Amino acid sequence: MTHTDRPAAAEPDPRRWIILAVLLLAGFMNLIDVTIVNVAIPSLREDLGAASSEIEWVVAGYIIAFALGLLPFGRLGDVVGRKRMFLLGVAGFTLGSAFCGVSPTTETLIAARLFQGLTAAMMMPQVLALVQVTFPPKERGFAFSFFGVTAGIASVAGPLAGGALISADFYHLAWRPIFLVNLPIGIFAVLAGWRLIPDVAPGRREPVDVVGVLFAAATVFAIIIPLVEGREFGWPLWCFASMAASVGFATAFVFWERHRERQRATQLLPISLIRNRHFLLGLAMTASLFAGIPGFFFVIAVFLQVGYGYSPLESGLATVPFPIGVFIASLIAGRFGSRFAKARLIAGPLVLAAGMAGLSVVVSGVTDEIGHWSIFGPLLFCGLGMGTTVAPLFATILTVVETRDAGSGSGALQSFQQVGAALGVAVNGEIFFGTVGRAASGATAYRDAFGASIWYEVAIFLVLALLSSRLRTGIRHGGEAGEGRAPAEPAPEV
């Protein structure tokens, strides 16, 4: 047994649920920061005198830096220690938030957001990895269910908190409190994490796979940049050329990792995972799920605020049924643990698709105004589908990842999550704004555009259900298995 693995018979850490709360707090801080900036765009533009392209990079710079850093920092956590990398990431993110809050110009704000994105990439792979190594397999499904709750709450809390903070205009700081509010949260997470998260010996120190990092970064960059910038520039040829080039970079990455394996050198993403059908299918499922949700919340915010005159606060309140549904479904998921994962991974997306179809029916009957109660039921139903999906999704994907590779596997998982989110926002935005441009003016144009974008959501969740049906049953758990390790525990029942 290696020094990074606990014995199979070891008792789980009695503080594991408190540790989970600290990890979720850090994850929530990252998730809310992605959405909270959107409602501050008018205030940012007015206060800093920024051009539209500069404001876009305040949002896009964070996403790009975050996506680029996930895989290398995830692997680095396996090598230098996940607790150390997590604490460095949270501390850096908190410092980056302070830099954002005091930025005097748009240029310094963009630089601070890039730094924020990189430090978020340092901490987030460690969050999933630490859950995997802290909880025994029978409890991981329930532990992962709280990530669905956190994501659902953050998707609503971001616009709510941003709208409330900007409206309050504390000490005439305008948009700055949306970043400064992270300071007490981040300081608490660092102190609590340092005190509570156990010190686990890092893996064997080996040279960093620099070439692998470069190929992986080029792949992600070539995908994310056109997805983030494409609509703004009218989808020029270079966008499609860049996405095509990403296939070449990805192929070169795989060949290089195989070469590293033959040389018995450390790999950025272990070749055993690249070859694993179950893990690759899980990455595709993750990308599909997140190709739906972030884009949906982006579009519904524009639909309610621009089309029907909702304030940011009112828009956030109108979408509260979604996290309520996520919370209810996640509590129910805890009673199942890791059982029936495949059935739940099929049922959850089907419920999401049905909820979206119901929302389309409701919206199609809207004229000059829309009441928040009219969308309550469909959004609650969608939240139930999301909560049913998230817990078994993460737990099932990480089933085949060795404990020693938990950071690398988590980094890959979240990289695909970010690529899926960028794809979803791009496709949803293109459908929505393209329809608005072709439709008649007024609220009905936004109604028709929102209705059109919802059918993309239905399609993507049906694709997710189809992918879930392809999961194999009887997967053996890799978290405790491996050369020189104790026998693996049973996998979740998929």
Side-chain angles (χ1 to χ4, degrees):
M1 184 172 63
T2 67
H3 63 287
T4 58
D5 299 306
R6 68 180 66 189
E11 290 295 323
D13 193 320
R15 302 172 301 176
R16 60 194 180 280
W17 295 106
I18 303 175
I19 293 171
L20 176 64
V22 175
L23 297 174
L24 289 172
L25 181 64
F28 180 79
M29 189 169 59
N30 166 63
L31 289 168
I32 199 173
D33 220 65
V34 175
T35 57
I36 199 172
V37 176
N38 293 331
V39 300
I41 287 175
S43 180
L44 280 166
R45 181 177 294 151
E46 179 181 351
D47 187 54
L48 297 176
S52 297
S53 59
E54 292 176 320
I55 292 298
E56 184 178 355
W57 270 97
V58 172
V59 178
Y62 180 93
I63 296 171
I64 293 167
F66 182 50
L68 289 175
L70 281 167
L71 190 54
F73 282 128
R75 189 55 170 168
L76 198 57
D78 293 333
V79 176
V80 305
R82 299 181 190 111
K83 175 180 178 178
R84 178 186 300 177
M85 189 59 64
F86 171 76
L87 294 179
L88 285 173
V90 177
F93 187 89
T94 306
L95 184 62
S97 298
F99 289 153
C100 289
V102 300
S103 292
T105 65
T106 310
E107 291 78 13
T108 55
L109 179 59
I110 292 172
R113 289 285 285 170
L114 290 169
F115 179 74
Q116 249 194 332
L118 282 175
T119 53
M122 292 175 68
M123 70 176 176
M124 288 308 296
Q126 321 314 324
V127 170
L128 288 178
L130 285 166
V131 170
Q132 188 184 3
V133 300
T134 301
F135 286 83
K138 65 181 180 181
E139 293 181 347
R140 284 179 197 156
F142 189 38
F144 280 123
S145 70
F146 286 97
F147 286 90
V149 176
T150 304
I153 294 174
S155 64
V156 176
L160 279 174
L165 288 170
I166 294 170
S167 299
D169 194 17
F170 293 108
Y171 302 105
H172 304 291
L173 291 173
W175 51 272
R176 299 179 188 276
I178 69 170
F179 297 111
L180 298 176
V181 73
N182 287 334
L183 270 61
I185 300 173
I187 292 170
F188 173 80
V190 170
L191 294 175
W194 176 76
R195 178 71 179 85
L196 294 171
I197 297 174
D199 290 304
V200 179
R204 187 177 64 185
R205 292 296 183 95
E206 294 179 338
V208 177
D209 181 7
V210 176
V211 176
V213 169
L214 293 176
F215 278 135
T219 302
V220 174
F221 190 82
I223 296 173
I224 291 288
I225 283 288
L227 290 177
V228 170
E229 296 288 333
R231 185 170 56 83
E232 179 72 16
F233 289 100
W235 296 104
L237 181 61
W238 67 261
C239 288
F240 301 100
S242 177
M243 287 188 280
S246 70
V247 178
F249 290 133
T251 303
F253 174 76
V254 172
F255 275 107
W256 175 255
E257 297 302 283
R258 286 177 176 171
H259 169 73
R260 298 278 294 183
E261 182 194 38
R262 289 193 296 269
Q263 300 296 317
R264 298 186 180 275
T266 184
Q267 301 127 52
L268 180 62
L269 182 63
I271 202 70
S272 59
L273 292 180
I274 296 175
R275 290 182 179 136
N276 191 291
R277 175 183 173 274
H278 178 88
F279 185 72
L280 295 180
L281 181 59
L283 295 181
M285 291 164 61
T286 301
S288 298
L289 176 62
F290 287 93
I293 296 301
F296 170 73
F297 277 100
F298 165 68
V299 165
I300 196 173
V302 177
F303 165 69
L304 292 174
Q305 293 180 43
V306 180
Y308 286 87
Y310 278 49
S311 70
L313 188 60
E314 291 170 334
S315 174
L317 287 171
T319 53
V320 161
F322 186 91
I324 291 175
V326 172
F327 182 73
I328 293 171
S330 297
L331 290 180
I332 296 172
R335 302 179 67 89
F336 287 95
S338 298
R339 293 175 296 159
F340 313 117
K342 181 176 179 177
R344 290 153 58 197
L345 281 171
I346 296 172
L350 291 178
V351 172
L352 267 166
M356 290 294 175
L359 184 60
S360 177
V361 172
V362 170
V363 169
S364 66
V366 170
T367 54
D368 294 332
E369 61 181 33
I370 181 170
H372 64 274
W373 287 111
S374 63
I375 59 176
F376 184 97
L379 286 178
L380 179 67
F381 207 65
C382 289
L384 291 172
M386 180 71 171
T388 302
T389 306
V390 169
L393 178 64
F394 288 164
T396 302
I397 295 169
L398 294 175
T399 292
V400 296
V401 179
E402 300 281 357
T403 299
R404 64 185 176 186
D405 299 325
S408 183
S410 299
L413 176 64
Q414 292 180 81
S415 293
F416 273 74
Q417 177 181 331
Q418 290 303 307
V419 169
L423 175 64
V425 171
V427 174
N428 241 325
E430 190 64 28
I431 294 171
F432 183 85
F433 290 108
T435 306
V436 167
R438 292 190 300 270
S441 60
T444 54
Y446 287 88
R447 178 202 65 190
D448 295 343
F450 186 53
S453 71
I454 289 176
W455 289 109
Y456 160 78
E457 300 289 337
V458 173
I460 203 70
F461 294 133
L462 291 177
V463 168
L464 177 55
L466 178 63
L467 291 174
S468 301
S469 70
R470 305 302 299 169
L471 282 172
R472 299 196 308 269
T473 58
I475 302 296
R476 295 292 293 172
H477 190 276
E480 309 295 339
E483 185 180 349
R485 290 177 172 78
E489 297 187 53
E493 183 180 336
V494 298

